[in-house]
Amino acid sequence: MILGIESSCDETAAAVVRSGQELLASVVASQIATHSPYGGVVPELASREHLRSLVPVTRAALQKAGLTYEELDAIAVTSGPGLAGALLTGVSFAKSLAWALNKPLIAVNHIEGHIHAVLLEECQKAGDEIEFPVMALVVSGGHTHLFLAARSGESWHYENVGHTRDDAAGEAFDKTAKLLGLGYPGGPVIDRLARFGDAKAVKFTFAQLKHTARQPSKRAAQVRDGRKRFDFSYSGIKTAVLRYVELHEMFATIEKRRRALLEIASPSDEVLRDLCDQQTLDLVASFQAAVVGDLTRRTLAACEEYGVRTLLVSGGVAANSALRASFERRAPRAGLRACFPSRAMSTDNAAMIAAAAYPKWLGREFSGLELTAEANLQLR
Ligand code: KG4
Ligand code: ZN
């Protein structure tokens, strides 16, 4: 019975998972309302909100699971990567709990957590074993990574075979939405609006996408240490959207929309659509199609190169309907099984941290009280 704690960015979360598979409770306190007036996460405010929420969120998770602190077997916590101050709040809280309760402390990499969010739900489908080799695409506001995943005994190991050279895919969604006056976070809004636009209306040419839109299996894939790499780049498309907005003099309507949305707490799809002209809807649809197309092409090329049987797609952007549809359509044709977490498990939560901690519990990979937050923690 592992208690997971997550505070790496703008969600304070606690969850209890039994044996890495059975979700007993998952509570997430979102800070969207705190950060949205600024159009992005303000690190100082995030840390303060975590301090406020950690205790009530953990109590709520235990209450939901019907457990006392004493009945827990271990405390797992995200130790990185993420915002240093935000991570520190969770790590300090988890260390205090582990010390006071005299329970083992398990440090979990946030990216590994995202990968285990898929496994947690897939493992619940009885008799359904994951086939290796496994590729994990972790695509969120802070990360765009391709990892080849292997298991030896209970331990999981990861080899990075691709990552973004600049912006993460979720960051491109967020920055594009902000630029278009659509608020924060941008991914869900763009996802909802894209279906009203023509995805072929605006061509994001290869040059605008810099090196990302070239043929991934040939030119963009690089060889390092004899292993082919499949890197991404999403800062070019953000600039291309800005150029389009400048060229078509869209700033006045953007500002009007931005002001209107500040007054509406949770706008419906219809309200959002009414605040956008067709040109904006087409731009949004074309942007999403370009990013989704690039993520799919590059990931499938990497899977082909490494003879992968199972693809795990996780992280906030895995909630995107077009990305799911794209992989669901194209993965079977490539002889691949593509697995996604449910939408709630795609974005940050603590169930994924508790699930990723279970193999470490079995392998007795515990941390001491010297554990500290590592903003740039690598996954291996
Ligand atoms: O995993 P997550 O909650 O936090 C990080 O670890 O970054 O991911 C948040 C990111 C944000 O960039 C958000 O815009 C994006 O995931 N996101 C989406 C969708 N839902 C969340 N992007 C595209 N489509 C969505 N439906
Ligand atoms: Zn995340």
Side-chain angles (χ1 to χ4, degrees), residues 6 8-9 11 81 110-111 113-114 138-143 314-316 346-349 352:
E6 156 64 36
S8 66
C9 190
E11 331 271 359
H110 181 81
I111 300 174
H114 274 302
V138 184
V139 65
S140 72
H143 314 284
S314 63
S346 299
T347 48
D348 289 351
N349 65 83
M352 67 188 203

Side-chain angles (χ1 to χ4, degrees), residues 297-345:
R297 271 194 304 277
R298 224 162 275 276
T299 301
L300 292 183
C303 289
E304 188 188 339
E305 171 70 24
Y306 289 102
V308 163
R309 301 300 306 267
T310 309
L311 170 66
L312 311 176
V313 186
S314 63
V317 183
N320 186 271
S321 345
L323 187 70
R324 285 173 179 251
S326 173
F327 277 119
E328 272 157 16
R329 199 173 56 245
R330 295 179 59 180
R333 280 192 236 149
L336 263 177
R337 174 175 164 201
C339 307
F340 287 84
S342 61
R343 280 199 166 71
M345 273 307 180

